[in-house]
Amino acid sequence: MIELFIFLLVTGSIVAWWQLMQGRQKARWAAGQVCGNHELQLLDDTVSLSSITWNRDNSNSRIQINYGFEFAINGAKRRRGVVTIGFPASLSVTLDLEEGRLIENLK
């Protein structure tokens, strides 16, 4: 019985790790799209897992995974951004610009 529990625990961990890595690739793509649309430079290899949260709104419960990244304005100033992936299906990118926050929802 304990072997089954250990097997399920290891299998669940591998599946969770795989899903997070797939989410990181999706976050990198989304950040690149938004930065490209606004003529900003996404800094390479800055997309990383920031947090995993449980969000409840309007009787809907879902898991939200946030990936942080950095981008540059005119290649000089570094700024922060966040890609939020909500399961089952939502994707948004938030950029912290000098003028304020820019939030784009992608599909």
Side-chain angles (χ1 to χ4, degrees), residues 51-56 62-66 84-85:
S51 65
I52 300 174
T53 59
W54 183 261
N55 189 11
R56 300 173 100 185
R62 62 182 176 181
I63 296 174
Q64 285 189 331
I65 302 176
N66 296 318
T84 301
I85 301 174

Side-chain angles (χ1 to χ4, degrees), residues 40-52:
L40 303 169
Q41 179 185 5
L42 175 64
L43 300 177
D44 293 337
D45 294 328
T46 60
V47 178
S48 61
L49 180 66
S50 295
S51 65
I52 300 174

